[in-house]
Amino acid sequence: MSKTPFLTKEKAKEIIKSYPTPFHIYDEKGIRENAQKLNEAFSWNKGYKEYFAVKATPNPFLINILRDYGCGCDCSSMTELMLSKAIGATGDDIMFSSNDTPPDEFKYCNELGGIINLDDITHIEAVEKACGCLPKKMSCRYNPGGVFQISNSIMDNPGDAKYGMTHEQIFKAFEIMKSKGVEEFGIHSFLCSNTVTNDYYPLLAKMLFKLAVELKNKLKVNIAFINLSGGVGIPYTPDGQPNDIMKIGDGVRRAYEEILTPAGMGDVAIYTEMGRFMMGPYGALVTTAINEKHTHKEYIGVDACAANLMRPAIYGAYHHITVLGKENAACDHTYDITGSLCENCDKFAIDRNLPEIEMGDILYIHDTGAHGHSMGYNYNGKLRSAELLLKEDGSVELIRRAETPKDYFATLDCFDIYNKIISE
Ligand SMILES: *Cc1c(COP(=O)(O)O)cnc(C)c1O
């Protein structure tokens, strides 16, 4: 297997004439085809809906593409709620899956008519206080504790995760909520991140479906939806096998027919809140080699840094790199590819075998479409890059300009020093 960029060197050079590197660029065609396929994979479920995890790629132009496929917005903060509202996603198009939530965010979500997904039992009271009463439709986040293992390589530790309620708490929560007038209930759980397997959703679904039957039988509550949340991964390495969303959808269907349908719950809607799977492969960070350094190791310095893409620095995440125009050249050089932050973790790749890199070469860093630009920050006074959209017709549109020093200093604009800095 290999990874193919959605840009050629020629196209990149043409784009760079208008938009200098570094920039993130997104592939409209890929986003659309994937969203279409996701809907097909879950077409067996009448109420199916994907709530795109806004935090992964909070760009209104990209989310608007997903809106064409019926996607709503999964929000986790005030500003994400504001963004959703601005693109017309309100009411049932909002899933508010936050934690450690400030009361004014519950209030705002409720004003927009969004579905509040409670992270904790104590939040029942918080919502009541913030909103006056409980909304008619609500959801609770479940955390089974322990460890969750899918295969030998994929394991996560829900028992150590701050999210969600225990088994006992979710029963108690539903009972209280029912007594306070909630009529429609949802169950949500997120146990494992970036799972590159077709078994994660089906396994999670089984667990949640059983829980739903138990809750319904014991408390006589109306379970309207089950939210499988995010966690469906993408292969970041070139030898990784992509998930097959059709198999995943079918696995969930089988669990549904085995557990929910016989329990008379064949009308429960399935929701998902994917971020990475929806956008990850359809974004790339494009950057230019600007320095080379030969010391104890061979370094190539590029004009992007961890402020543009933080995943390698914070999790040691692998992002594949293609040197544009050298797709077929032998990878007979070994480099650390670095940014300029005063942090040694600011490396996009360590000991990576690549073709010989010359100054001015354009590097294409793959799979930055989710948790890429959005994790950007301003350390070392670095400015966040532009975001571009490669449209289906081959044209390129600016969908977020690059930050300028004025943006960086903007929070000083109520002080005299601001004018001094900006005017110089
Ligand atoms: C981050 C997050 C998601 C999206 O996760 P992916 O791994 O990007 O699919 C979905 N739901 C919640 C509550 C999240 O915090």
Side-chain angles (χ1 to χ4, degrees):
M1 290 285 286
S2 67
K3 275 190 175 280
T4 311
F6 56 79
L7 279 185
T8 59
K9 181 181 176 187
E10 289 63 42
K11 185 74 187 173
K13 283 196 126 164
E14 181 195 321
I15 296 168
I16 290 168
K17 282 186 204 149
S18 313
Y19 306 108
T21 56
F23 55 78
H24 285 267
I25 186 162
Y26 303 89
D27 174 26
E28 179 180 11
K29 187 163 178 280
I31 295 168
R32 286 190 182 279
E33 285 172 0
N34 185 63
Q36 173 81 38
K37 217 164 142 196
L38 172 68
N39 278 343
E40 281 165 30
F42 285 92
S43 59
W44 54 268
N45 182 254
K46 201 163 133 265
Y48 174 72
K49 193 177 179 76
E50 151 74 0
Y51 289 86
F52 177 66
V54 174
K55 74 167 193 274
T57 326
N59 186 301
F61 300 97
L62 297 175
I63 301 173
N64 262 333
I65 297 175
L66 296 177
R67 298 277 292 148
D68 288 347
Y69 300 86
C71 296
C73 294
D74 165 34
C75 299
S76 62
S77 65
M78 181 65 97
T79 47
E80 290 177 5
L81 288 167
M82 291 165 70
L83 180 67
S84 299
K85 175 174 186 259
I87 60 173
T90 56
D92 276 357
D93 278 347
I94 293 179
M95 182 65 64
F96 188 47
S97 294
S98 70
N99 71 93
D100 185 22
T101 313
D104 56 334
E105 298 188 5
F106 283 136
K107 184 164 181 280
Y108 187 56
C109 177
N110 191 47
E111 282 165 15
L112 300 181
I115 304 169
I116 296 174
N117 180 26
L118 287 185
D119 182 66
D120 190 52
I121 191 165
T122 59
H123 288 175
I124 298 173
E125 222 180 302
V127 171
E128 231 180 346
K129 239 169 136 181
C131 308
C133 63
L134 295 182
K136 293 274 174 261
K137 186 191 287 191
M138 289 189 85
S139 173
C140 285
R141 185 167 183 163
Y142 174 56
N143 180 337
V147 290
F148 187 81
Q149 186 148 12
I150 306 171
S151 57
N152 285 333
S153 58
I154 300 179
M155 193 174 91
D156 226 317
N157 204 349
D160 209 27
K162 66 172 176 169
Y163 311 104
M165 309 181 192
T166 65
H167 195 264
E168 195 185 329
Q169 285 170 339
I170 201 166
F171 277 81
K172 190 80 201 155
F174 272 41
E175 194 180 350
I176 296 170
M177 286 156 71
K178 188 185 174 199
S179 75
K180 291 181 182 284
V182 176
E183 291 165 1
E184 287 180 89
F185 291 83
I187 308 171
H188 167 281
S189 195
F190 189 170
L191 300 184
C192 231
S193 232
N194 193 31
T195 56
V196 190
T197 159
N198 297 325
D199 298 332
Y200 171 63
Y201 264 4
L203 273 172
L204 173 67
K206 255 188 193 167
M207 189 187 90
L208 293 182
F209 294 168
K210 283 180 190 156
L211 177 65
V213 173
E214 251 188 281
L215 280 161
K216 183 190 173 223
N217 290 343
K218 203 157 167 199
L219 303 173
K220 311 283 170 241
V221 287
N222 170 21
I223 310 280
F225 62 87
I226 291 171
N227 183 347
L228 303 176
S229 193
V232 176
I234 58 170
Y236 284 95
T237 54
D239 57 351
Q241 186 67 28
N243 284 328
D244 182 341
I245 198 66
M246 300 311 286
K247 280 200 181 131
I248 292 175
D250 201 51
V252 176
R253 179 187 61 75
R254 273 184 277 135
Y256 192 101
E257 287 170 0
E258 182 191 318
I259 301 163
L260 287 184
T261 310
M265 297 174 76
D267 57 349
V268 173
I270 300 298
Y271 294 164
T272 54
E273 292 176 337
M274 292 186 274
R276 198 187 311 272
F277 185 79
M278 302 306 289
M279 287 288 181
Y282 315 112
L285 173 60
V286 179
T287 181
T288 304
I290 57 170
N291 285 295
E292 57 186 308
K293 179 165 178 172
H294 317 278
T295 55
H296 306 290
K297 293 181 94 169
E298 292 294 297
Y299 295 100
I300 296 293
V302 294
D303 59 4
C305 66
N308 306 111
L309 174 66
M310 205 183 192
R311 300 185 68 256
I314 57 171
Y315 329 118
Y318 181 95
H319 279 268
H320 197 61
I321 296 176
T322 299
V323 184
L324 292 180
K326 298 184 177 174
E327 286 81 355
N328 300 315
C331 293
D332 52 4
H333 285 64
T334 304
Y335 297 114
D336 281 15
I337 307 293
T338 79
S340 61
L341 293 189
C342 305
E343 287 286 344
N344 199 42
C345 64
D346 185 15
K347 294 179 176 177
F348 292 116
I350 297 171
D351 298 328
R352 185 75 59 89
N353 294 332
L354 288 164
E356 181 170 18
I357 296 174
E358 291 152 281
M359 293 304 91
D361 276 355
I362 305 163
L363 273 62
Y364 176 104
I365 305 180
H366 292 252
D367 302 319
T368 70
H371 314 292
H373 186 280
S374 60
M375 276 188 175
Y377 60 120
N378 285 123
Y379 189 51
N380 271 207
K382 291 291 174 181
L383 304 176
R384 272 168 292 211
S385 79
E387 291 183 292
L388 308 175
L389 179 63
L390 175 63
K391 300 183 56 160
E392 282 187 296
D393 65 7
S395 64
V396 171
E397 190 174 286
L398 182 70
I399 54 170
R400 186 191 301 274
R401 66 165 173 79
E403 286 179 344
T404 65
K406 232 174 159 169
D407 297 315
Y408 179 74
F409 292 114
T411 43
L412 289 170
D413 65 1
C414 49
F415 304 102
D416 289 341
I417 186 80
Y418 176 76
N419 290 319
K420 189 169 158 54
I421 298 169
I422 292 301
S423 65
E424 271 164 19

